[in-house]
Amino acid sequence: MTTIADRLGKVRERISAACGSAGRSVDDVSLLAVSKTCGPDAVRQAHAAGQRAFGENYVQEGIEKIAALHDLPLQWHCIGPIQSNKTRLVAEHFDWVHTIDRLKIAERLSSQRPEGMAPLQVCVQVNVDGGAAKSGVAPGEALELARAVAALPRLRLRGIMSIPEPAPDFEGARALHRQVREVFEQLRGAGLPLDTLSTGMSADLEAAIAAGSTMVRVGTAIFGARG
Ligand SMILES: *Cc1c(COP(=O)(O)O)cnc(C)c1O
């Protein structure tokens, strides 16, 4: 039987091979294990195999898992859309938020982040290929939103995040991740001290790393297909 530890090992090998091919250091790319729909036991197994950072899409599910696993030193990332009425829960329980695409949500998270906690680490979500209905701001709107978010006292802007559509091949996927990278470089060029480019998932992490990703968000390849 293949265990979570085995699959985690395979994902680490893929990341390390992709870094090798891209001439990058393996220390430049971190792995976020996406544990949505998995029970706390699966997270415990990944933790036992050395994984510390976990991503959740659904706020309520994430909060329950965080509570069930509070005995472990884990870092929790919110990677799903956030409704206004959920910002307080996110501000009080998560370490990171990857999906900032509206200033109003960022302002609420900042004002609701408890004093005793570290600032909430955040990424602005950019939509490089979808229609207006998809989450994320258009590349041309990213700088303005990023500047406003960077000015909020209880948030720390770390970078940008994207979920490009699946591409037919490696080249196509890399081209999409490169568009995300260009937005990242544009924001850095404008003086924002960003260090996180969150892009790439189970199917396309190699292409994302080739394009400069510093954080890949991997679910299926670690925990198996979601039911
Ligand atoms: C589910 C999800 C992932 C992980 O996707 P896999 O294909 O299972 O690796 C990454 N990022 C986001 C935002 C997700 O919703």
Side-chain angles (χ1 to χ4, degrees):
M1 206 185 93
T2 318
T3 65
I4 286 172
D6 295 335
R7 288 196 292 252
L8 200 44
K10 290 230 169 61
V11 169
R12 290 190 185 121
E13 282 167 22
R14 284 175 62 190
I15 292 172
S16 138
C19 287
S21 309
R24 302 180 58 196
S25 159
V26 74
D27 299 332
D28 290 349
V29 180
S30 62
L31 172 60
L32 181 64
V34 176
S35 46
K36 64 180 176 209
T37 80
C38 299
D41 264 11
V43 175
R44 281 190 192 279
Q45 289 173 45
H47 166 267
Q51 181 65 28
R52 294 292 176 269
F54 293 86
E56 289 286 333
N57 282 61
Y58 311 103
V59 174
Q60 198 56 46
E61 180 194 337
I63 302 291
E64 285 164 21
K65 235 172 277 179
I66 292 169
L69 295 162
H70 74 274
D71 56 307
L72 300 181
L74 306 179
Q75 191 186 67
W76 290 98
H77 296 231
C78 176
I79 61 171
I82 301 172
Q83 308 296 327
S84 294
N85 63 355
K86 293 283 166 56
T87 53
R88 182 175 297 281
L89 280 174
V90 173
E92 290 179 348
H93 296 280
F94 282 85
D95 302 295
W96 282 66
V97 170
H98 289 228
T99 46
I100 302 289
D101 64 358
R102 282 189 290 157
L103 184 56
K104 183 181 156 220
I105 296 292
E107 287 170 342
R108 289 175 66 92
L109 289 170
S110 180
S111 68
Q112 293 168 344
R113 182 68 166 174
E115 279 303 324
M117 294 176 84
L120 189 61
Q121 313 292 302
V122 302
C123 294
V124 163
Q125 183 176 354
V126 179
N127 168 6
V128 294
D129 57 1
K134 201 169 138 177
S135 299
V137 294
E141 294 165 4
L143 180 57
E144 188 186 345
L145 177 59
R147 282 202 168 117
V149 169
L152 294 171
R154 300 291 294 139
L155 303 188
R156 178 154 171 240
L157 181 65
R158 296 294 296 271
I160 65 172
M161 177 273 214
S162 193
I163 315 171
E165 291 297 314
D169 54 23
F170 180 88
E171 295 299 328
R174 187 174 58 181
L176 287 173
H177 292 295
R178 271 198 183 136
Q179 291 182 44
V180 186
R181 165 82 181 271
E182 276 164 26
V183 179
F184 181 63
E185 296 304 341
Q186 183 211 348
L187 269 49
R188 293 215 292 188
L192 293 167
L194 308 183
D195 63 8
T196 302
L197 179 51
S198 163
T199 195
M201 319 200 294
S202 292
D204 63 355
L205 69 88
E206 284 85 0
I209 290 171
S213 173
T214 70
M215 190 182 289
V216 290
R217 308 178 308 266
V218 179
T220 316
I222 297 172
F223 297 110
R226 289 178 287 272

